[in-house]
Amino acid sequence: MTKLITIFALCMLSLMTSARQYTGHPYQNPNLSAHERAIDLCSRLTLEEKAMLMLDESPAIPRLGIKKFFWWSEALHGAANMGNVTVFPEPVAMAASFNPDLLYKVFDIASTEFRAQYNHRMYDLKGEDMKMRSLSQSDPCGDRCRMWLWICLSEYS
């Protein structure tokens, strides 16, 4: 009997998802390719809106359902400055391990912590995107020993 109920539930779920039609703009349709969605969205944005979206503090564009977004965050050694998260050694120290699998695990943990912090702020606290708290993360420089902006390397290592 349980098997029959499970099969029935799966059939109903399949019918419900296949019958669902998307009624929004094409750029919001997850069934289209990323390329198709990007073309549609770019055709709807004004030149001024496109320029504003290239700023590190991208403003909301309510008419298209685009929320404010910050592109300025870094994950140099984990989800630092985010509260109760794991902070890993600086990249020079991690590179000295010569262990790519370890570094993969480090940044897998960091990405999970970023997502958890973001989801908690956005959904549990009904917040909004904040500088240094966004999902767009980067390491400012892949080789800080050679980059002039990081001249004081000894201070950060």
Side-chain angles (χ1 to χ4, degrees):
M1 183 67 174
T2 305
K3 200 179 227 183
L4 185 60
I5 292 172
T6 304
I7 292 172
F8 177 74
L10 287 173
C11 288
M12 291 304 295
L13 182 63
S14 175
L15 286 172
M16 287 172 27
T17 56
S18 64
R20 190 171 58 201
Q21 293 283 330
Y22 191 78
T23 58
H25 296 295
Y27 72 87
Q28 297 169 317
N29 185 348
N31 298 319
L32 296 178
S33 71
H35 180 76
E36 292 170 310
R37 294 171 71 182
I39 297 267
D40 181 66
L41 178 58
C42 288
S43 72
R44 294 172 190 280
L45 290 165
T46 66
L47 183 58
E48 182 180 347
E49 289 168 337
K50 290 174 187 174
M52 289 189 317
L53 289 175
M54 293 192 315
L55 299 172
D56 66 324
E57 295 183 27
S58 298
I61 302 175
R63 72 180 186 86
L64 295 175
I66 297 173
K67 297 178 181 178
K68 173 175 71 171
F69 191 82
F70 289 92
W71 300 93
W72 187 271
S73 295
E74 59 95 359
L76 193 60
H77 50 94
N81 307 317
M82 296 277 291
N84 189 18
V85 294
T86 310
V87 178
F88 296 97
E90 290 289 326
V92 171
M94 289 191 286
S97 73
F98 296 98
N99 187 339
D101 293 332
L102 175 65
L103 291 182
Y104 179 86
K105 289 175 186 173
V106 162
F107 289 103
D108 183 47
I109 291 166
S111 68
T112 301
E113 290 180 340
F114 272 112
R115 175 59 72 182
Q117 292 281 342
Y118 180 83
N119 286 344
H120 173 62
R121 189 175 59 260
M122 299 300 281
Y123 303 109
D124 299 339
L125 303 178
K126 306 290 186 237
E128 57 181 39
D129 209 8
M130 299 168 53
K131 195 169 201 165
M132 295 301 289
R133 302 279 195 276
S134 196
L135 290 179
S136 174
Q137 303 299 322
S138 63
D139 178 347
C141 178
D143 187 355
R144 296 187 316 141
C145 296
R146 295 183 181 184
M147 175 94 174
W148 66 271
L149 288 171
W150 293 90
I151 199 78
C152 302
L153 185 65
S154 61
E155 295 175 13
Y156 299 102
S157 299

